[in-house]
């Protein structure tokens, strides 16, 4: 499991929202964010690699296909 920071935009406005990758695979990307988005929302996402890794940031178009509410203790 790799956790990396990310930011994304929805088509509803031009603002960028922060998030965190939780899991990545060939079939998708699991992210954690505070932004409420309904299933079916299309987003432009950019995963941010640390500069010391010397990799370019990863950009993609994505669609929310499922979601779950997760509560944090702290």
């Amino acid at each position: 499991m790799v956790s990396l920071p990310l930011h994304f935009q929805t088509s509803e406005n031009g603002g960028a929202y922060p998030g965190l990758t939780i899991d990545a695979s060939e079939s998708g990307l699991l992210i954690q964010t505070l932004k409420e988005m309904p299933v079916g929302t299309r987003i432009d996402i950019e995963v941010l690699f640390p500069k010391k890794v010397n990799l370019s940031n990863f950009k993609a178009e994505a669609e929310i296909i499922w979601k779950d509410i997760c509560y944090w203790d702290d």
Side-chain angles (χ1 to χ4, degrees), residues 9-24:
Q9 293 178 298
T10 64
S11 59
E12 64 191 39
N13 66 27
Y17 299 95
L20 186 66
T21 63
I22 302 299
D23 195 11

Side-chain angles (χ1 to χ4, degrees), residues 2 4 7 12 25 31 36 41 49 62:
V2 175
L4 294 168
H7 62 254
E12 64 191 39
S25 69
I31 68 169
E36 174 63 31
T41 301
F49 290 104

Side-chain angles (χ1 to χ4, degrees), residues 14-60:
Y17 299 95
L20 186 66
T21 63
I22 302 299
D23 195 11
S25 69
E26 291 178 6
S27 61
L29 182 65
L30 176 62
I31 68 169
Q32 183 177 41
T33 182
L34 297 176
K35 170 78 173 140
E36 174 63 31
M37 295 177 285
V39 171
T41 301
R42 298 194 60 80
I43 61 173
D44 294 318
I45 190 169
E46 184 174 14
V47 177
L48 309 170
F49 290 104
K51 292 186 190 296
K52 65 182 176 184
V53 176
N54 208 18
L55 293 172
S56 297
N57 293 342
F58 176 78
K59 295 180 181 182

